[in-house]
Amino acid sequence: LASFAVLAAAGTLLYLNYDALPERIPTHYGFSGKADAFRLKTPGRVALPVVIGVLTWMLLALNLYGIAYGTRRGGSPET
């Protein structure tokens, strides 16, 4: 749950500081680490990394739930 709290904190910081972001935000970085593509700032583009993080978190949580509750316990299966 700590990782979800970090995502929630990142989303909150983005929401609170949205107006302070530049009008053009970098959307791609080259091999040198320098930004080489920019787009206009929109709420969707700014929130996309957090949304991807939440979706990844949900996928991993579902996987963990499946492992914890969907596997058979005990000895070897009878043949």
Side-chain angles (χ1 to χ4, degrees):
L1 290 177
S3 59
F4 190 74
V6 169
L7 286 169
T12 302
L13 284 173
L14 282 173
Y15 177 76
L16 294 174
N17 294 309
Y18 181 79
D19 293 333
L21 294 173
E23 287 302 314
R24 291 176 27 136
I25 57 172
T27 57
H28 187 268
Y29 294 86
F31 287 114
S32 65
K34 184 178 177 183
D36 59 6
F38 295 87
R39 300 282 187 259
L40 291 178
K41 174 180 72 172
T42 63
R45 285 192 182 122
V46 171
L48 187 60
V50 176
V51 170
I52 291 172
V54 169
L55 292 174
T56 303
W57 186 90
M58 289 172 58
L59 181 64
L60 292 172
L62 185 63
N63 190 15
L64 179 62
Y65 179 83
I67 290 171
Y69 296 105
T71 56
R72 217 183 284 201
R73 307 272 191 249
S76 62
E78 298 177 17
T79 56

